[in-house]
């Protein structure tokens, strides 16, 4: 089925009060859950196409498979639970809710994530990420657990241009992998207490024992300043 009639059917079903939708044999259909509001649950068996849950506010999409590029693009609220891996630009410009990826993600994960008042988006990754994780990040949390990875991340450009939010990565991160505008600080017991609910929530979603992650063996990466490229503007 083409993605247009499929998404029209989903929007009409949710608008009529349907609370549970199951999609089987999904193969690259784009924009599933695009702009959908409410508290519906959408189960996806297969591989959804790009921009899964874009502008979505409220529903939960659970994917039993991988996802293509940009799941959670500008998502406002709700959750995406992906039992496989995902492509580039996961959680692009996300401003609320959570995206959990059991496997790994591609390049530029969490690019330009932001937070506003009580909304603080969360991108949690069980595996690893490729380059430019959290690029131009303006708010929210990115958590990378590095399951089956040693080290957790090997690609460069982590937090390039970051000016808000935080990136927390399992284990020590080599300083040479940090992007312009990012700095590494100690991950404290207080940080662990603050992030423990997120770690437990992630692990419970994928039937993983959380106890192996409940210590301070993390690197916390934050903005070095609120305007990392201020000196690049010619009029200043």
């Amino acid at each position: 089925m083409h993605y247009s009639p499929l998404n029209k059917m989903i929007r009409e079903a949710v608008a009529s009060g349907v609370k549970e939708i199951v999609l089987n044999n999904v193969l690259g259909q784009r924009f599933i859950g695009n702009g959908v509001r409410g508290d519906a649950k959408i189960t996806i068996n297969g591989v959804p196409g790009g921009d899964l849950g874009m502008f979505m506010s409220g529903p939960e999409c659970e994917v039993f498979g991988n996802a293509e590029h940009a799941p959670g693009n500008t998502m406002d609220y709700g959750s995406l639970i992906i039992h496989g891996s995902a492509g580039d630009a996961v959680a692009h410009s996300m401003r609320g809710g959570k995206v959990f990826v059991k496997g790994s993600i591609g390049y530029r994960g969490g690019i330009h994530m932001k937070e506003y008042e009580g909304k603080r988006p969360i991108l949690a990754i069980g595996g690893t990420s490729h380059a430019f994780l959290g690029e131009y990040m303006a708010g929210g949390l990115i958590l990378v657990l590095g399951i089956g990875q040693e080290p957790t991340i090997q690609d460069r450009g982590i937090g390039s241009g970051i000016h808000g939010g935080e990136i927390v990565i399992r284990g020590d991160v080599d300083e040479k992998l940090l992007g312009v505008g990012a700095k590494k600080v100690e991950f404290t017991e207080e940080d662990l207490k603050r992030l423990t609910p997120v770690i437990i929530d992630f692990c419970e979603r994928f039937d993983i024992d959380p106890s192996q992650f409940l210590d301070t063996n993390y690197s916390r990466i934050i903005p070095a300043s609120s305007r990392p490229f201020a000196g690049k503007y010619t009029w200043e």
Side-chain angles (χ1 to χ4, degrees):
M1 176 182 285
H2 190 271
Y3 71 85
S4 291
L6 173 62
N7 289 309
K8 182 179 179 181
M9 291 172 64
I10 294 171
R11 285 193 291 271
E12 289 177 348
V14 174
S16 69
V18 172
K19 297 298 184 185
E20 291 197 28
I21 296 171
V22 178
L23 305 177
N24 293 321
N25 302 315
V26 173
L27 188 59
Q29 284 90 347
R30 296 180 285 169
F31 309 128
I32 292 176
N34 181 3
V36 174
R37 297 176 178 273
D39 57 355
K41 168 75 181 290
I42 303 173
T43 299
I44 300 171
N45 296 309
V47 180
D51 296 304
L52 170 69
M54 185 170 68
F55 305 127
M56 189 176 77
S57 185
E60 174 177 303
C61 289
E62 187 165 17
V63 180
F64 292 92
N66 297 321
E68 292 186 355
H69 65 274
N73 181 357
T74 324
M75 196 170 89
D76 181 64
Y77 182 62
S79 58
L80 300 182
I81 311 299
I82 299 169
H83 287 255
S85 292
D88 298 338
V90 176
H92 170 29
S93 299
M94 183 182 172
R95 61 192 185 193
K98 60 188 178 186
V99 175
F100 287 178
V101 181
K102 183 179 182 181
S104 299
I105 66 170
Y107 295 81
R108 293 190 157 86
I111 180 172
H112 214 283
M113 278 174 60
K114 64 201 76 170
E115 61 186 67
Y116 177 71
E117 296 185 341
K119 291 185 176 179
R120 187 170 188 258
I122 298 171
L123 168 60
I125 303 151
T128 187
S129 164
H130 282 296
F132 299 106
L133 177 70
E135 188 178 28
Y136 307 126
M137 188 175 175
L141 165 68
I142 297 177
L143 172 66
V144 188
L145 294 178
I147 299 171
Q149 306 292 326
E150 184 60 39
T152 297
I153 292 182
Q154 301 186 52
D155 284 21
R156 63 186 175 87
I158 299 170
S160 291
I162 184 174
H163 50 285
E166 61 180 335
I167 302 170
V168 177
I169 299 172
R170 185 72 173 160
D172 186 41
V173 172
D174 194 322
E175 296 271 359
K176 70 181 182 183
L177 299 182
L178 301 186
V180 175
K183 69 175 182 181
K184 185 173 67 173
V185 297
E186 180 185 3
F187 185 85
T188 66
E189 290 286 351
E190 187 60 32
D191 293 323
L192 177 62
K193 182 179 179 181
R194 185 168 52 83
L195 265 59
T196 290
V198 177
I199 296 170
I200 291 176
D201 186 17
F202 180 89
C203 289
E204 287 181 345
R205 290 286 187 164
F206 301 117
D207 196 24
I208 298 169
D209 178 10
S211 62
Q212 60 189 309
F213 302 112
L214 298 179
D215 56 34
T216 57
N217 183 24
Y218 291 91
S219 297
R220 182 169 179 254
I221 298 161
I222 62 173
S225 77
S226 61
R227 297 189 67 199
F229 300 121
K232 301 294 184 183
Y233 298 107
T234 57
W235 60 81
E236 293 188 345

